[in-house]
Amino acid sequence: MATAAYTTFTLGDTLTEEQKAFFEKHGYIHFSNVLDAATVQSIIDASEKVQEKWISENVEKINGVPIKYGTDLNGNKIVQRFAFINQHTTVLSELLKDARIQSLLELIGPGARIGENEKDGMVFNHYVNGPESKFTKMGWHTDGLRDIFMGGRLNPMLNMGLHLSTLQPENGGLRIIPGTHKQGLFSMLFKKRYFIDHRPDKNEIAIMPKAGDLTVHDGRLWHRVAQSSVVGEASRRRVIYVPLIAGKYEPKNENSPTLFYQRFAGIVK
Ligand SMILES: O=C(O)CCC(=O)C(=O)O
Ligand SMILES: [Fe+2]
């Protein structure tokens, strides 16, 4: 079977029928050029301000979610995985009001909202492949397993990604298996060994964004982050995820417990 050409879309204030159908069929969608270069830079700058504050205050968790620290190429301590970063900078909380981003809620339907105060809020991942980095890749997983761990039923959950780095094939990055959002619960639980298995899958596709691109993937879709095959500055990759959800409103606060799945962050390297 010939492989279909990779398709990207343009995000407007409402989704087109074609975009909705693509997402429903494949479980992911990729929009090009959603944020301009100045906006991308302002987001990176804002993350560095939050990082400075969290390092100086020794912040270990936000709303119960562990913050992952690591070491940059120059030996400096950095945050490699922020949680709820939208609650710590208006640059990111304001961004979520963008009509184009709001239009993505159509992919879920009634009761849909951006999970600004739920789950892990807006997560900001900063990967770099260097000798002391603590975050270079992530094994196979689905994001929805979290709900099963929490004993809840599987509410609709999509993950919106804002890509802040332009990737080349040698940079590694997001790999997904299209269509796995339609698998049954058994496959969602056991298709692969969660977070431990990093092996390429014959059906995976590489998401190769430019800085400013936006993706959405279904919470049931299997995906991983491949390690960059280059090291140093060229391997730096920043990407933000925010959940789009429906169902019962379950906001977190500073007294929220650390959940089992959140401890997985510790084994991710
Ligand atoms: O970094 C990525 O592109 C994906 C990260 C991811 O899958 C996650 O944080 O759950
Ligand atoms: Fe994920």
Side-chain angles (χ1 to χ4, degrees), residues 3-4 6 22-29 140 175-183 191 201-207 217-218 220-223:
T3 320
Y6 188 82
F22 185 97
F23 183 78
E24 154 64 21
K25 177 160 185 220
H26 301 289
Y28 80 98
I29 187 162
W140 285 108
R175 303 286 185 268
I176 63 162
I177 310 179
T180 48
H181 62 307
K182 293 192 174 164
Q183 68 199 332
K191 184 179 173 66
D201 186 282
K202 65 181 192 317
N203 294 319
E204 74 181 25
I205 63 167
I207 305 285
H217 65 257
D218 190 295
R220 297 163 295 182
L221 200 76
W222 278 97
H223 59 284

Side-chain angles (χ1 to χ4, degrees), residues 17-50:
E17 289 308 314
E18 185 196 8
Q19 291 167 351
K20 287 189 238 180
F22 185 97
F23 183 78
E24 154 64 21
K25 177 160 185 220
H26 301 289
Y28 80 98
I29 187 162
H30 181 163
F31 297 98
S32 299
N33 292 316
V34 175
L35 305 177
D36 61 25
T39 305
V40 168
Q41 192 55 51
S42 69
I43 293 171
I44 293 173
D45 293 346
S47 77
E48 288 177 345
K49 284 213 188 79
V50 175

Side-chain angles (χ1 to χ4, degrees), residues 81 125 127 138-144 146 157 159 174 195 217 219 221-225 241:
R81 188 171 168 90
N125 290 334
Y127 303 82
M138 196 182 276
W140 285 108
H141 65 279
T142 73
D143 298 326
R146 297 163 187 186
M157 197 273 262
N159 229 341
L174 185 60
F195 294 104
H217 65 257
L221 200 76
W222 278 97
H223 59 284
R224 69 180 177 113
V225 178
Y241 285 94

Side-chain angles (χ1 to χ4, degrees), residues 128-141:
V128 62
N129 197 7
E132 295 178 274
S133 174
K134 293 272 190 325
F135 201 26
T136 62
K137 61 181 179 178
M138 196 182 276
W140 285 108
H141 65 279

Side-chain angles (χ1 to χ4, degrees), residues 73 126-130 135-138 163-175 206-211 224-239:
L73 300 170
H126 182 175
Y127 303 82
V128 62
N129 197 7
F135 201 26
T136 62
K137 61 181 179 178
M138 196 182 276
H163 300 262
L164 306 177
S165 307
T166 296
L167 297 194
Q168 312 295 340
E170 64 272 21
N171 286 127
L174 185 60
R175 303 286 185 268
I207 305 285
M208 211 57 69
K210 292 200 166 49
R224 69 180 177 113
V225 178
Q227 189 172 43
S228 172
S229 59
V230 293
V231 296
E233 196 51 45
S235 71
R236 194 178 300 283
R237 173 171 181 260
R238 293 179 172 99
V239 58

